[in-house]
C-alpha cells in the first residue's frame, strides 16, 4: 500500500438494487463513470479498495439470490470484501477490525444509496474518529416522496446529505479532491 492510512469504501454497489421498484437509470452513467474513476485512481495510488455488500433476508439482498454481486457497469477488484447486515458498514461486518489491523485512519466513501448506507457509514466512521471524504458524485440514489406528497429529486437528496455531513462528519470531495493527497504509484 503506497498511501498508508487511507481506504476507499465502495458500499452496496450491487445488482440487488436493480431489482427494487424505485430503480432508475437516469443517473447511472454519471455515477458509474465517477465511481470507476475513483476506483481506478485509488488502485493507481495504492489505496486499498474495500467492497461492502448489504446482505439481509430480503429476497434480492440474500446471498442465495445471485444479486449480491458488483453492479454490472462497474469493474472492481477489491482488496477486501465485507457483508453488512445494517445501514452502517461498520456494524456486524468485521470492517472495523480490518481497518484497525491495517492502520486505516482515513476513509473515502462512495456507493449506493447516498442518504442511507453511505451517509450512515460516514456519520458512524466520524464518530469513531476516522477522517472521512464523502464523494457525493460517486454515490447513487433515487427520488423519494415525503409523507406530504413532496417529491425530493436525486439532486435534492444529495444536497441535503452534503449539508448535514459537511464540516461535521466529513469533507465533501470530488473524485479528484479525494485522490489529490495520494500520489500515483511508480510502475517500476
Amino acid at each position: 500500500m503506497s498511501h498508508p492510512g487511507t481506504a476507499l469504501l465502495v458500499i452496496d454497489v450491487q445488482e440487488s438494487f436493480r431489482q427494487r421498484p424505485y430503480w432508475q437509470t437516469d443517473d447511472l452513467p454519471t455515477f458509474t463513470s465517477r465511481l470507476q474513476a475513483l476506483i481506478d485512481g485509488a488502485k493507481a495510488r495504492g489505496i486499498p479498495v474495500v467492497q461492502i455488500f448489504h446482505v439481509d433476508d430480503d429476497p434480492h439482498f440474500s446471498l442465495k439470490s445471485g444479486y449480491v454481486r458488483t453492479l454490472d457497469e462497474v469493474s472492481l477488484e477489491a482488496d477486501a470484501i465485507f457483508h453488512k447486515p445494517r445501514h452502517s458498514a461498520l456494524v456486524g461486518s468485521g470492517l472495523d477490525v480490518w481497518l484497525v489491523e491495517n492502520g486505516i485512519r482515513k476513509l473515502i466513501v462512495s456507493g449506493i444509496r447516498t442518504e442511507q448506507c453511505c451517509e450512515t457509514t460516514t456519520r458512524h466512521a466520524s464518530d469513531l474518529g476516522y477522517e472521512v471524504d464523502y464523494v457525493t458524485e460517486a454515490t447513487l440514489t433515487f427520488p423519494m416522496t415525503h409523507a406530504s406528497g413532496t417529491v425530493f429529486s436525486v439532486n435534492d437528496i444529495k444536497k441535503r446529505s452534503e449539508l448535514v455531513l459537511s464540516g461535521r462528519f466529513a469533507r465533501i470531495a470530488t473524485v479528484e479532491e479525494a485522490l489529490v493527497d495520494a500520489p500515483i504509484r511508480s510502475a517500476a
Side-chain angles (χ1 to χ4, degrees):
M1 175 171 21
S2 66
H3 191 66
T6 300
L8 168 60
L9 302 185
V10 180
I11 301 170
D12 300 349
V13 178
Q14 61 196 75
E15 283 296 317
S16 306
F17 282 100
R18 200 181 303 270
Q19 313 314 310
R20 306 305 296 155
Y22 51 74
W23 174 261
Q24 293 183 5
T25 58
D26 300 358
D27 299 314
L28 188 61
T30 300
F31 162 69
T32 56
S33 170
R34 298 313 293 152
L35 178 61
Q36 195 66 59
L38 185 60
I39 292 166
D40 294 346
K43 283 291 193 182
R45 288 161 176 79
I47 296 170
V49 176
V50 180
Q51 187 166 26
I52 295 120
F53 290 110
H54 187 86
V55 177
D56 63 28
D57 293 335
D58 178 294
H60 301 113
F61 287 85
S62 80
L63 289 173
K64 292 185 278 186
S65 72
Y67 297 124
V68 180
R69 59 183 169 81
T70 306
L71 201 62
D72 288 341
E73 292 83 355
V74 176
S75 176
L76 170 57
E77 190 174 315
D79 295 292
I81 297 173
F82 297 92
H83 295 132
K84 67 177 183 58
R86 301 282 184 257
H87 290 102
S88 173
L90 294 160
V91 175
S93 66
L95 173 62
D96 53 339
V97 173
W98 185 89
L99 294 171
V100 170
E101 287 175 348
N102 286 278
I104 304 298
R105 297 304 313 149
K106 180 179 180 182
L107 302 176
I108 302 169
V109 174
S110 65
I112 304 174
R113 294 178 64 171
T114 305
E115 77 291 350
Q116 287 187 18
C117 297
C118 295
E119 185 176 319
T120 302
T121 299
T122 297
R123 288 171 181 266
H124 192 172
S126 174
D127 282 351
L128 291 174
Y130 290 93
E131 180 183 343
V132 183
D133 276 356
Y134 187 86
V135 186
T136 310
E137 65 183 348
T139 68
L140 181 69
T141 196
F142 311 97
M144 296 174 73
T145 304
H146 187 270
S148 68
T150 303
V151 175
F152 289 82
S153 70
V154 166
N155 193 42
D156 293 335
I157 295 166
K158 287 186 173 192
K159 282 182 180 179
R160 182 231 154 250
S161 286
E162 288 181 347
L163 173 68
V164 299
L165 293 176
S166 182
R168 296 179 188 102
F169 300 98
R171 175 180 81 141
I172 306 304
T174 63
V175 167
E176 292 75 20
E177 289 167 344
L179 296 172
V180 75
D181 295 331
I184 296 176
R185 277 189 294 200
S186 62

